[in-house]
Amino acid sequence: MPKEQPTVLLHLPHPAMLDATAARLGGLPGTGAGDPRRECAARPSREVLHLTRVFQERGWRCLWAPFSEVDPARLLHRGVYDVAAGTRRELTASGLNTEVDVIVARLLGSVESRITTVRAYFETLRERFTGTVVNDPASVLYGLRKDYLFEYLKRDFRTIPTEAFEPSVTFRELSRACGGRLDDHIVKPVTGELSNSFMAMSQVDDRVLRHKEPLVGGWLLQPFVPHVWDGEFQVFFVGDRIVHGMRKHYPGRDRSGVPTRAGRVVDPYTPTAVDTAFAREARALWTEDLAKPTDLCRVDFLKEPDGTPVLLEFEAVNPGFSFGRLDEPAGRRLAGFFEDHIRARMIHG
């Protein structure tokens, strides 16, 4: 059963964002690892603000920890900010197990650039932390490699045909695999956030591949699907509850080549009955067929011209919930869903 005042630890990517978020909440960090002068160097986290306000209202003690200051091997958290006290401190592995009931291990920064650290952190949490981790380490560790897509393909789930290659693959090998049709194929990293290195084959050469080689666990080659211009859709889950949807689209853009962030618009989206059923099917494959429990996840898909969804990604590592695109009531409601689910996890496991 939860304690009378349970403690939750929330991550932010780095101290600058922690400072900016603390300033927005109404207090500045003390004189520990952070410097209040950095508050203008980063935007505050709308997610952490909403979660903190709702959790505190519901009786929680909230700690914030910059992920860049974590030593995963020792499970040492430096620069931990106690929101109510306005103080900073270090938390050792022993201190975590004594004081912290739940770690919400999100907002870690770029997974692609620090995948070794992220993997080590979740492995150590699984082995040494006695409280609840959101997301479950088993799910995060499995989801770090995007070749889980082959498990969906193996089960005839609707997704894009995909080929996998080692990090050392050459441009000639990739070009041969796509029959020289460079404008008709895209290449993505196996590890990290796929969109960070989402490229048309016509934009790739050996220099790009060698630059990325130490950062990726391999490459995925896929045919380019033109109706991605009509929208990329996202359905967000907290537990088994669908909490909202988003749509990325490109109004007014010339529909030539592969979409980029330039001119992209992301809007709230209400999933259709077909979208909802598809997203639930994708989540069930992950949690039941693959036996990977997940607290927070996002199903990304596009739609064929007849409206049939096609899976792009199942994000269980660091799914952004787009708090910054929600109005105040919607953000608070979403934070409430987080707290409801986390409290239930503490009680029922």
Side-chain angles (χ1 to χ4, degrees):
M1 293 293 291
K3 295 183 297 192
E4 184 175 342
Q5 185 182 37
T7 297
V8 61
L9 184 145
L10 306 170
H11 279 297
L12 295 102
H14 46 74
M17 183 177 284
L18 189 154
D19 290 348
T21 306
R24 179 65 59 86
L25 191 65
L28 280 173
T31 57
D35 180 350
R37 291 172 297 179
R38 289 185 310 205
E39 65 182 270
C40 297
R43 293 181 179 179
S45 166
R46 291 282 300 277
E47 175 171 327
V48 169
L49 285 169
H50 280 299
L51 291 177
T52 299
R53 287 168 177 150
V54 169
F55 274 62
Q56 285 184 321
E57 289 168 6
R58 297 185 181 188
W60 291 72
R61 174 189 179 216
C62 295
L63 306 177
W64 297 349
F67 188 68
S68 63
E69 304 302 306
V70 171
D71 178 345
R74 294 188 292 160
L75 211 55
L76 174 65
H77 292 64
R78 302 182 183 90
V80 175
Y81 179 54
D82 186 319
V83 178
T87 57
R88 292 181 188 266
R89 55 182 294 204
E90 286 189 352
L91 269 180
T92 62
S94 174
L96 281 176
N97 285 325
T98 300
E99 296 187 38
V100 177
D101 300 283
V102 178
I103 296 177
V104 180
R106 291 176 39 71
L107 303 182
L108 308 177
S110 170
V111 174
E112 182 182 50
S113 65
R114 56 178 67 175
I115 189 166
T116 301
T117 301
V118 171
R119 181 181 290 113
Y121 182 59
F122 279 92
E123 287 174 345
T124 310
L125 285 176
R126 181 172 59 181
E127 294 166 3
R128 300 181 62 185
F129 181 58
T130 57
T132 299
V133 181
V134 174
N135 258 338
D136 189 289
S139 193
V140 173
L141 291 167
Y142 183 74
L144 283 173
R145 291 188 57 89
K146 305 301 181 184
D147 41 18
Y148 66 73
L149 289 169
F150 293 103
E151 295 298 327
Y152 281 83
L153 286 165
K154 192 187 304 181
R155 292 164 172 79
D156 296 322
F157 198 87
R158 293 188 301 278
T159 189
I160 299 171
T162 304
E163 290 185 73
F165 297 86
E166 294 298 318
S168 58
V169 68
T170 65
F171 176 76
R172 175 179 290 185
E173 291 171 309
L174 289 174
S175 179
R176 187 184 304 125
C178 67
R181 300 189 304 277
L182 304 185
D183 288 326
D184 296 335
H185 288 77
I186 59 173
V187 63
K188 306 174 176 180
V190 170
T191 53
E193 300 88 342
L194 293 186
S195 61
N196 284 358
S197 298
F198 179 104
M199 295 172 288
M201 272 297 298
S202 56
Q203 300 172 309
V204 176
D205 56 24
D206 279 313
R207 180 187 59 82
V208 172
L209 293 172
R210 299 293 70 79
H211 173 71
K212 290 285 187 180
E213 184 174 345
L215 302 176
V216 302
W219 293 96
L220 301 178
L221 182 69
Q222 296 177 329
F224 173 62
V225 182
H227 37 273
V228 71
W229 283 103
D230 297 320
E232 300 172 55
F233 301 86
Q234 300 178 323
V235 172
F236 298 80
F237 285 87
V238 175
D240 60 3
R241 183 202 300 258
I242 292 177
V243 293
H244 67 93
M246 290 285 167
R247 178 190 177 216
K248 302 177 184 178
H249 58 114
Y250 309 87
R253 284 288 309 277
D254 173 18
R255 296 190 170 204
S256 60
V258 175
T260 65
R261 292 176 180 267
R264 185 178 74 185
V265 176
V266 183
D267 291 323
Y269 169 75
T270 301
T272 67
V274 171
D275 299 342
T276 297
F278 177 80
R280 290 197 179 282
E281 187 181 354
R283 183 179 180 276
L285 194 153
W286 186 275
T287 60
E288 297 172 17
D289 293 32
L290 302 180
K292 305 299 178 186
T294 183
D295 302 286
L296 312 170
C297 65
R298 190 187 74 229
V299 179
D300 296 356
F301 57 97
L302 50 78
K303 296 185 182 185
E304 294 179 346
D306 65 357
T308 301
V310 178
L311 183 70
L312 292 172
E313 181 177 2
F314 187 92
E315 179 55 67
V317 175
N318 203 20
F321 270 73
S322 299
F323 272 89
R325 302 182 187 278
L326 303 176
D327 60 25
E328 186 71 18
R332 287 183 59 83
R333 184 168 58 251
L334 180 54
F337 292 150
F338 273 53
E339 198 276 343
D340 291 341
H341 174 76
I342 288 170
R343 193 173 288 271
R345 271 284 314 272
M346 292 175 65
I347 296 172
H348 304 295

